[in-house]
Amino acid sequence: MFNSVKVTEDIYWVGVNDRRTALFENLWPLEHGVAYNSYLLVDEKIALIDTVEGGQVGEYVRKIQSIIGTHKKIDYLIINHMEPDHSGLIQSVVELYPDIKIVGNEKTFGMIADFYGITNNTHLVKDGDEINLGKHQLKFYMTPMVHWPETMMTYDQSSQILFSGDAFGSFGALDGGIFDDEVDLVFFEEEMRRYYANIVGKYGAPVQAALKKLHGLEISTICATHGPIWRSDIQKVVSLYDQWSKCEAEEGVVIVYGTMYGNTGKMAETIARTLSEEGIKNIKIYDGSKTHMSYILRDIWKYKGLIIGSCAYNNNLFPPIESLTSKLVHMGVKNRILGIFGTYSWSGGGVINLKKFAEQIKWPLIAEPVEAKCAACGNDIDGCVMIGKQMAKALKEA
Ligand code: FEO
């Protein structure tokens, strides 16, 4: 999309879509692309809020110049977040507008120097500082670790727009629609949760601190750096972030397993059928070798129950399950209920390490873990049924 889009009379979306990159942070799948959002405020003074990822300088500059022409200067470049998906064109912007003042906090400027070698024309702001553009009065809120230490948000007091950085952002390119009332909200809510679970989820406490700091602010619109602009139901979006950052979850179960020959997978089917017979409707089964962890984490952030199975693999967990469990520990996910199963084969290593995971993550473990020798039979199947029954009971009592 070569056109910029008006957010208000004098505030423009000048973001770009990326449908080429396969993996965000070279790690998380971008099946439906991603948008890097940047915003231009045209007042007596002109401000650009964040830039975009480094690969699309031509389109980005064309959008800006289609609004202000080629002779006007931009006065301020406000850097809410330094991750290169947003800071990637700082150097190009500075080359095009050599007198531009870069607005950021102390941590921002350390990073700009380290990433891009830029140390001149900086304008340092602290929590609560303001900049006047003419009609627009911008106020800065320091929101460290949402998602990096330098992260801050910019609030325009005249339009009541919050420029929120990664917070409230989502995966998914903007296919024509830019505002939440122009897009498929079901898709973007899923992609917003996936972005949260993959990128921001480790920082639940800082997100809570940011929400407390912003509490009471009149917000008409949220302009995040990814995904749609939120203007229809701000309370709902804020409430989702509140729930996710407190690790609150809905009734439902994710069953994820690692299997070489299908035997551990069959145990998952028995557990799932029992859950269904016990009245649980939201059940998601994933083969950890087939589905990228990104999507499994997205659903773990949604549902209260997690049942993990692993075959033994060289005396250890099956590798995708090892990655998933270590990621969950690393992210410090809380408030979940856990079930465990697997197969021993000739060495063991699956279930024993899942038990260690349970101790590390400190979630309540429902029912006895089930470990079949090679293929589940007799007591193993009874054990799987018991896991399903106990999980359903625990969820209903939660
Ligand atoms: Fe979208 Fe933390 O960068």
Side-chain angles (χ1 to χ4, degrees):
M1 197 188 298
F2 284 96
N3 14 1
S4 54
V5 176
K6 275 190 170 188
V7 180
T8 67
E9 264 317 294
D10 52 8
I11 298 178
Y12 298 81
W13 175 85
V14 289
V16 296
N17 283 303
D18 180 356
R19 297 183 185 83
R20 281 191 166 195
T21 303
L23 298 172
F24 189 80
E25 296 182 340
N26 216 11
L27 192 60
W28 308 104
L30 290 175
E31 200 180 343
H32 303 286
V34 68
Y36 311 113
N37 298 334
S38 169
Y39 302 92
L40 188 70
L41 284 70
V42 183
D43 203 339
E44 287 166 29
K45 297 209 161 162
I46 298 176
L48 186 60
I49 301 188
D50 290 311
T51 72
V52 299
E53 190 264 344
Q56 302 197 50
V57 64
E59 182 182 346
Y60 183 58
V61 170
R62 268 200 302 280
K63 280 189 182 188
I64 291 171
Q65 293 190 335
S66 74
I67 301 162
I68 60 170
T70 50
H71 298 299
K72 270 193 184 162
K73 304 273 186 282
I74 300 179
D75 299 280
Y76 295 111
L77 171 58
I78 295 163
I79 303 296
N80 280 335
H81 183 24
M82 272 300 296
E83 193 166 6
D85 52 331
H86 311 296
S87 69
L89 288 186
I90 289 180
Q91 230 156 12
S92 304
V93 169
V94 168
E95 279 165 21
L96 198 60
Y97 303 102
D99 298 327
I100 200 167
K101 283 256 178 294
I102 303 177
V103 180
N105 56 64
E106 216 173 328
K107 289 203 166 73
T108 319
F109 294 134
M111 289 185 181
I112 290 184
D114 293 342
F115 270 107
Y116 305 111
I118 296 171
T119 51
N120 290 334
N121 280 352
T122 54
H123 180 105
L124 181 84
V125 291
K126 297 187 290 308
D127 199 40
D129 282 357
E130 299 186 10
I131 284 181
N132 183 263
L133 302 179
K135 199 175 86 184
H136 294 277
Q137 182 80 12
L138 305 180
K139 186 167 181 174
F140 303 99
Y141 291 87
M142 301 301 125
T143 52
M145 302 317 300
V146 187
H147 147 229
W148 277 13
E150 87 301 352
T151 313
M152 62 184 204
M153 296 188 193
T154 301
Y155 178 67
D156 174 29
Q157 298 179 73
S158 65
S159 63
Q160 301 184 331
I161 293 179
L162 180 69
F163 298 92
S164 63
D166 277 346
F168 313 109
S170 81
F171 290 125
L174 296 167
D175 294 346
I178 300 293
F179 299 94
D180 56 0
D181 44 286
E182 299 175 336
V183 300
D184 175 358
L185 270 187
V186 174
F187 168 81
F188 275 106
E189 189 177 316
E190 288 287 288
E191 285 292 76
M192 182 180 166
R193 183 157 27 78
R194 187 164 72 93
Y195 191 87
Y196 184 86
N198 294 180
I199 310 295
V200 188
K202 181 172 168 54
Y203 307 109
V207 170
Q208 278 292 308
L211 292 177
K212 282 194 177 72
K213 186 175 275 189
L214 299 171
H215 185 72
L217 213 56
E218 288 294 328
I219 298 173
S220 66
T221 307
I222 294 177
C223 290
T225 45
H226 302 286
I229 294 170
W230 304 102
R231 66 181 179 186
S232 302
D233 191 349
I234 299 298
Q235 194 45 47
K236 183 178 177 193
V237 178
V238 171
S239 154
L240 286 173
Y241 248 60
D242 186 41
Q243 286 165 38
W244 297 338
S245 54
K246 288 194 276 196
C247 286
E248 289 178 359
E250 302 171 22
E251 184 180 287
V253 182
V254 174
I255 304 175
V256 53
Y257 60 84
T259 192
M260 277 187 287
Y261 310 112
N263 291 308
T264 307
K266 283 179 194 151
M267 297 167 81
E269 301 286 351
T270 302
I271 296 169
R273 183 62 202 148
T274 309
L275 283 164
S276 179
E277 284 171 355
E278 295 295 314
I280 302 299
K281 287 203 163 46
N282 297 314
I283 305 165
K284 302 278 185 190
I285 303 185
Y286 291 112
D287 183 324
S289 299
K290 169 85 185 296
T291 303
H292 194 286
M293 192 200 321
S294 172
Y295 300 94
I296 303 171
L297 286 171
R298 174 198 65 191
D299 285 352
I300 289 173
W301 235 277
K302 184 169 191 180
Y303 295 122
K304 182 94 179 158
L306 177 62
I307 301 177
I308 309 185
S310 178
C311 60
Y313 191 79
N314 294 336
N315 297 89
N316 211 331
L317 287 167
F318 195 55
I321 300 302
E322 190 177 16
S323 298
L324 177 66
T325 51
S326 76
K327 186 74 181 165
L328 290 169
V329 170
H330 174 73
M331 295 186 98
V333 184
K334 295 182 178 64
N335 300 330
R336 295 295 182 275
I337 302 168
L338 182 66
I340 286 171
F341 66 100
T343 48
Y344 184 91
S345 187
W346 48 265
S347 67
V351 170
I352 192 171
N353 282 299
L354 285 176
K355 286 179 182 169
K356 287 181 190 163
F357 160 70
E359 283 165 19
Q360 273 184 296
I361 203 148
K362 298 187 176 74
W363 298 344
L365 184 61
I366 50 99
E368 262 309 295
V370 178
E371 186 167 42
K373 186 75 197 301
C374 289
C377 58
N379 288 344
D380 309 322
I381 293 168
D382 294 344
C384 290
V385 169
M386 193 50 68
I387 289 177
K389 285 190 171 174
Q390 294 292 342
M391 176 60 82
K393 183 167 178 282
L395 288 175
K396 286 180 191 306
E397 289 170 357

